[in-house]
Amino acid sequence: MPNTEKPHARHSIKDLERRTARRVGLVFLSLVLFVTSAAGFVYTDLQSQVKRFDISDYLDGSATRTDAIGDSYDGHALNILVLGTDTRSGANNVDGSDGSEDTSVARSDTAMIMHVSADRSRVEVVSIPRDLLVDIPSCKTYNGTESAPQPETMFNSAFATGAGTGTDSKALGIGAACAINTVEKTTGVNIDEFMIVDFHGLKTMIDALGGVNLYVSEEIDDPDYTQLYLPVGCQHLNGTDGLKYARARHGYGNGSDIGRIAHQQNLMAAMIRTAQSKNILSDANQLYSFARTALGSLTTSEKIGNLTNLQGLASSIQSIGMDRITFLTVPNEPARWDANRVVATDDAKPIWKALREDTPVPTGSVSGKADGSTASPAPNSSDAAAGSSSTDAAEQTDAPIVADKPSGAPAPQAPAPAAPSTDPAAQCK
């Protein structure tokens, strides 16, 4: 995107420099929530980038909504549903399939519940498999109708049910509302806000960071779908290949969605670490450029899409360390009647209880942390490869990406691994 320059008052740059001590908290919101709290000097311009939609008329009303106090949601735990959409129309036509009936409308590709504790001591990001079978309640739709309940249906169908054939921010918001109703019915966890980011937005954010560095624990060779080839080891990904890495579900493991979730969590953590290692938050021009890119990719609920509220929330989590931002996936197993779908196991219940009561999730369910450290795979995962993929969390400074394996050529050699007793993250500093 163009590197638009804006004049900056001297005191604004000083304010930014003073805020660099808050780097972890601000970087987290910049990348996980795709926002920044230090962009007030171009407030009007940046605010205009965010697409907001009030979904209150589309929620089922069964949940007790949090009436957050102040612009930082002060004193309240916060649950945000973060959704990635896979429409391939316009700028999102990342694979040449623009115009087909299945890809031109809004569809949900990724779903995460982001829990911010009331005391601002931790953040837990819980990925929901798109193939998880749930009971989708009746939802109001973009087409002005009301859908019938859908028992034992893939979770990502909830968003599609609400959004219908629409692609605008209204369709995205109504799709998010149906997904929220489904999450709340399934888990008992109240969702306070939502954020949606699309393919093009993720790609441009990675490029705005200058690419990201991460560790690939299992070779990816996917010539038929994403055309991505990555050997085991430390890799540097630009926006195009970062998006392919997040989307790939073929060419490794067993082709299930669970392995892809581990990649998405790994990419998210790598983006956080990359921004932390750069001077984005202390360089006014670079911060503005990144913030404009990030905010332009968002569709959000009404309240959290307000930059004043975002700034307050970011400031309130400034003391959270990267080791206190944890990732996990809903514990699952293959459905007995359909091996291509999964169902939640009983190990999911303590996770939902922890989010409802604002207590730490069980440590055994955590697969990784934003600082690049790893943990044991979540119990009862339906994909053995996902356990190894969950260790894809490390950063690397000067390792080239190998995006495509040359035809007829031997596979490139991965960088030499560290000693077996060393965590994979250690070899990619």
Side-chain angles (χ1 to χ4, degrees):
M1 64 171 288
N3 184 17
T4 308
E5 294 283 336
K6 288 280 183 177
H8 308 298
R10 183 172 302 173
H11 67 82
S12 296
I13 297 176
K14 289 181 178 179
D15 287 344
L16 286 171
E17 291 172 346
R18 284 195 295 267
R19 292 176 185 178
T20 57
R22 306 176 181 179
R23 181 166 303 198
V24 171
L26 298 182
V27 168
F28 165 66
L29 280 189
S30 294
L31 299 172
V32 183
L33 302 185
F34 309 111
V35 295
T36 178
S37 72
F41 54 87
V42 283
Y43 179 90
T44 302
D45 177 61
L46 292 181
Q47 181 65 81
S48 69
Q49 301 302 307
V50 186
K51 299 174 286 294
R52 294 186 288 166
F53 185 73
D54 184 357
I55 63 171
S56 56
D57 290 341
Y58 296 89
L59 298 174
D60 65 15
S62 62
T64 303
R65 307 291 167 190
T66 300
D67 182 15
I69 300 173
D71 60 18
S72 65
Y73 303 87
D74 186 40
H76 292 274
L78 191 64
N79 293 309
I80 305 167
L81 184 63
V82 180
L83 299 167
T85 58
D86 65 354
T87 176
R88 260 91 86 192
S89 62
N92 288 295
N93 183 26
V94 296
D95 57 6
S97 57
D98 186 18
S100 73
E101 183 178 348
D102 292 336
T103 60
S104 62
V105 296
R107 293 292 180 262
S108 174
D109 188 62
T110 303
M112 303 175 177
I113 301 174
M114 183 176 303
H115 178 82
V116 183
S117 66
D119 63 4
R120 302 303 188 257
S121 66
R122 67 187 190 280
V123 173
E124 289 124 353
V125 182
V126 185
S127 292
I128 303 174
R130 56 175 289 168
D131 298 335
L132 185 72
L133 295 179
V134 296
D135 292 336
I136 300 175
S138 175
C139 293
K140 296 178 181 178
T141 73
Y142 177 80
N143 302 325
T145 61
E146 188 162 329
S147 66
Q150 304 171 65
E152 296 184 344
T153 303
M154 289 172 55
F155 174 77
N156 70 329
S157 296
F159 184 89
T161 295
T165 59
T167 60
D168 57 12
S169 59
K170 178 179 178 180
L172 297 179
I174 297 173
C178 190
I180 288 172
N181 290 339
T182 302
V183 169
E184 293 179 340
K185 175 180 176 61
T186 302
T187 69
V189 176
N190 291 350
I191 301 299
D192 303 293
E193 306 284 359
F194 77 85
M195 285 189 163
I196 301 172
V197 66
D198 58 33
F199 278 167
H200 180 68
L202 178 61
K203 174 183 177 296
T204 54
M205 276 188 284
I206 294 172
D207 282 334
L209 289 169
V212 297
N213 307 295
L214 48 75
Y215 182 82
V216 176
S217 66
E218 182 180 11
E219 180 186 72
I220 302 172
D221 189 2
D222 182 23
D224 297 327
Y225 294 90
T226 60
Q227 294 79 52
L228 179 67
Y229 175 75
L230 291 175
V232 173
C234 304
Q235 304 296 336
H236 180 81
L237 307 185
N238 60 20
T240 297
D241 291 303
L243 178 59
K244 290 180 180 180
Y245 175 77
R247 292 182 59 218
R249 63 188 297 173
H250 302 280
Y252 69 96
N254 64 6
S256 78
D257 187 52
I258 308 303
R260 181 168 61 171
I261 285 174
H263 288 181
Q264 292 166 350
Q265 294 175 348
N266 184 30
L267 180 64
M268 184 181 296
M271 291 173 71
I272 297 172
R273 293 194 304 277
T274 300
Q276 186 192 36
S277 69
K278 295 179 179 289
N279 293 320
I280 287 177
L281 299 178
S282 59
D283 184 314
N285 287 326
Q286 192 174 8
L287 174 61
Y288 165 76
S289 178
F290 177 79
R292 201 173 194 276
T293 297
L295 294 170
S297 71
L298 283 180
T299 301
T300 75
S301 46
E302 187 72 20
K303 184 176 177 64
I304 203 168
N306 181 288
L307 291 193
T308 300
N309 296 337
L310 285 171
Q311 179 173 342
L313 178 58
S315 297
S316 77
I317 67 167
Q318 61 185 290
S319 62
I320 297 179
M322 298 249 278
D323 62 332
R324 302 289 290 171
I325 302 173
T326 56
F327 298 93
L328 57 153
T329 301
V330 176
N332 60 84
E333 63 186 11
R336 291 189 302 274
W337 55 94
D338 187 346
N340 294 319
R341 304 290 178 256
V342 297
V343 294
T345 66
D346 287 342
D347 290 308
K349 294 178 181 178
I351 296 174
W352 305 138
K353 184 174 185 291
L355 266 56
R356 289 193 300 267
E357 299 179 358
D358 191 25
T359 57
V361 297
T363 56
S365 65
V366 174
S367 58
K369 301 179 181 181
D371 64 359
S373 61
T374 59
S376 299
N380 291 329
S381 170
S382 68
D383 182 272
S388 61
S389 295
S390 68
T391 63
D392 294 357
E395 62 181 318
Q396 147 83 0
T397 54
D398 296 305
I401 181 173
V402 184
D404 297 289
K405 182 170 62 176
S407 176
Q413 295 299 309
S421 61
T422 303
D423 189 292
Q427 66 180 295
C428 298
K429 293 182 179 179

